């Protein structure tokens, strides 16, 4: 059995910041990630980030992760376990993991789940052909491993991820045949959309994949137009000669460990799917289990970092640790979150999260 | 959507298979899982569950938010029995 004060599951921006703040409060921290290197989604983001200055806007994602990792390595009370997957959280509080092929048990005083999100997929004929990828997988191949996924790509999804990955494909010398989206409007930021449009890539809204074809691998795809009720319009089929299809239709929070632990969950479309109820301290309905980042609602690295700091401080405080000016620090973090969530998209997210907090607080007061 | 689109690639289940099972009366994720193994492959529902819930929502007329996702149990991914044995016989890592 391995013992620690605070276990942090996931080393993306949320987990890294949680580790920094829990360690600053004097806790013994164990930071675990199933990947070989820390950084989560940041590792493959070669573009400059949006967000606010405090969260390193205009710095490339990969460089943000370097800045955070330097702070982590400076702290002696943070132990890092890479290539380690947390397998289960049990009723008696024991947490199990597989670390480079070795099975182990961990006992902790407090846990922060920062496992991020996983990619959604689509059902269309031949969606199992080699050559059909999630956009995140293509990014990993290209930006982490230096491998081009193919020659000519159809990007499905015109949100920020679809747009950014398209641009990165172009930068790598890969052709992007088209970007399509079933929605009537482009979901991502206009700056990103304009950049790919200027490079000559058409963006077709209200379009979806009819089918993919090929025998052993992807050889092409047919797309078609949708009417206002999302039904395909006959005669609008278009054939595309492509060898890669990238699915970028959104992410859903990776909550499996929270379900296992018995945390109360609620389905919220604006947050990407099922998300845990949590209070202002980022604590779920199970005392001692905190959340931060995309696992609590798909958002951005900037808010994931702030939530990480908050979860770290609160987890530390819940087991008797503190830092100076703790209440001011927490207030400042809440203010930062509020500012990040001030736009139209942010408002929807803020309302969703407020609802999660209200439900949990109501449940807590009725059980008193 | 064409019926032959794959929903669960580990068990080779198509949209048609899922629809047939729902028509037979397997109308929750867990029931579908028990009869077909959907959600029990390496993905553990991370990719396929959302497609299944969508089909269930269409067939039952309920919103996805009213449907129950499957029960999640440890472990989140496969682990070798040998590794568990080694741990329980004392070969585990200590601090
Ligand atoms: C193409 C793209 C562009 C983006 N651009 C921006 C941008 O410009 N600005 C911005 O603010 N945001 C951007 N984002 C969003 C941002 O990357 C995410 O919101 C952010 O990374 C979420 O952080 P996180 O720490 O919650 O999760 P992640 O970064 O996903 O990290 C989660 C970590 O948990 C680990 N993990 C999961 N399960 C387990 C387990 N069982 N055991 C151990 N480890 C586990 C994973 O391996 C992963 O490393 C972008 C995202 C993408 C995909
Ligand atoms: S795709 Fe088979 S278990 Fe999910």
């Amino acid at each position: 059995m391995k013992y620690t004060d605070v276990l942090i599951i996931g080393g993306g921006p949320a987990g890294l910041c949680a580790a920094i703040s829990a360690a600053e409060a004097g806790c013994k921290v164990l930071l675990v990630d199933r990947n070989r290197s820390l950084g989560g989604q940041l590792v493959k983001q070669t573009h400059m980030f949006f967000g606010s200055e405090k969260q390193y806007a205009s710095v490339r994602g990969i460089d943000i992760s370097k800045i955070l990792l330097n702070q982590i390595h400076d702290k002696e009370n943070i132990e890092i376990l890479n290539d380690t997957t947390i397998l289960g959280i049990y009723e008696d509080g024991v947490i199990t993991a597989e670390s480079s092929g070795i099975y182990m048990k961990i006992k902790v005083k407090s846990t922060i789940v920062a496992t991020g999100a996983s990619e959604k997929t689509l059902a269309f004929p031949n969606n199992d052909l080699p050559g059909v990828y999630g956009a995140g997988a293509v990014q990993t191949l290209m930006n982490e491993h230096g491998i081009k996924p193919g020659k000519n790509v159809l990007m499905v999804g015109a949100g920020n991820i679809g747009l950014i990955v398209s641009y990165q494909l172009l930068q790598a010398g890969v052709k992007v045949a088209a970007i399509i989206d079933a929605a009537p409007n482009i979901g991502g930021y206009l700056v990103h959309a304009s950049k790919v449009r200027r490079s000559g890539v058409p963006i077709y809204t209200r379009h979806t994949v009819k089918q993919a074809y090929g025998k052993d691998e992807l050889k092409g795809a047919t797309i078609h137009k949708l009417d206002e009720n999302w039904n395909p319009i006959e005669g609008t089929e278009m054939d595309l000669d492509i060898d890669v299809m990238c699915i970028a239709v959104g992410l859903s929070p990776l909550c499996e460990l929270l379900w296992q632990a018995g945390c109360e969950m609620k389905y919220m479309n604006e947050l990407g799917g099922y998300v845990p109820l949590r209070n202002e301290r980022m604590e779920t309905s199970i005392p001692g289990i905190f959340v931060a980042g995309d696992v609590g609602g798909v958002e951005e690295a900037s808010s994931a970092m702030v939530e990480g700091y908050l979860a770290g401080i609160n987890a530390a405080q819940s087991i008797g640790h503190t830092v100076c000016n703790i209440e001011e620090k927490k207030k400042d973090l809440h203010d930062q979150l509020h500012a990040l969530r001030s736009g139209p998209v942010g408002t929807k997210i803020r309302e969703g999260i407020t609802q999660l907090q209200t439900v949990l607080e109501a449940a807590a007061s009725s059980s008193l | 959507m064409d019926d032959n689109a794959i929903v669960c690639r580990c068990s080779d289940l198509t949209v048609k298979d899922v629809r047939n099972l729902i028509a037979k009366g397997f109308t929750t994720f867990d029931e579908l899982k028990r009869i077909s193994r959907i959600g029990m492959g390496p993905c553990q529902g991370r990719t396929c569950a959302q497609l299944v819930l969508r089909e269930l929502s269409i067939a039952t007329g309920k919103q996805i938010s009213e449907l129950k996702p499957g029960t999640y149990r440890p472990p989140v991914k496969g682990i070798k029995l040998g590794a568990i044995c080694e741990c329980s016989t004392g070969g585990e890592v200590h601090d």
Side-chain angles (χ1 to χ4, degrees), chain B residues 85-94:
Chain B
C85 285
E86 218 165 89
C87 174
S88 60
T89 53
E92 63 169 313
V93 211
H94 287 274

Side-chain angles (χ1 to χ4, degrees), chain A residues 1-3 28 85-88 90 98 101-103 120-121 123-125 127-128 254 256 259-260 267 274, chain B residues 1-2 5-6 9 46-47 50-51 64-65 67 69 72-77 79 83-84 87 92-93 95:
Chain A
M1 191 81 71
K2 202 171 168 63
Y3 294 90
K28 189 176 161 198
T85 307
I86 298 298
L87 300 171
Y90 292 84
E98 189 224 35
I102 292 167
Y103 186 69
K120 290 185 183 166
T121 183
F124 52 81
N127 58 349
D128 58 335
L254 190 50
E256 46 199 4
W259 283 106
Q260 282 181 17
Y267 187 89
Y274 275 96
Chain B
M1 192 196 304
D2 192 293
I6 297 276
R9 58 190 74 199
R46 284 179 284 261
T47 44
Q50 159 237 335
L51 296 176
I64 294 190
S65 54
L67 297 170
Y72 289 82
R73 290 196 181 82
V76 302
K77 69 162 201 177
I79 165 94
I84 297 179
C87 174
E92 63 169 313
V93 211
D95 218 13

Side-chain angles (χ1 to χ4, degrees), chain A residues 133-187:
Chain A
Y133 292 90
V138 162
Q139 253 198 331
T140 305
L141 268 181
M142 252 187 344
N143 300 353
E144 267 190 84
H145 302 290
I147 297 168
K148 282 189 193 177
K151 294 194 186 76
N152 200 0
V153 179
L154 169 65
M155 180 64 65
V156 184
N160 278 326
I161 296 186
L163 297 173
I164 289 170
V165 176
S166 295
Y167 190 68
Q168 292 175 352
L169 282 159
L170 295 171
Q171 286 180 315
V174 179
K175 205 173 157 233
V176 179
I179 303 175
I180 63 171
D181 202 304
N185 299 309
I186 294 171

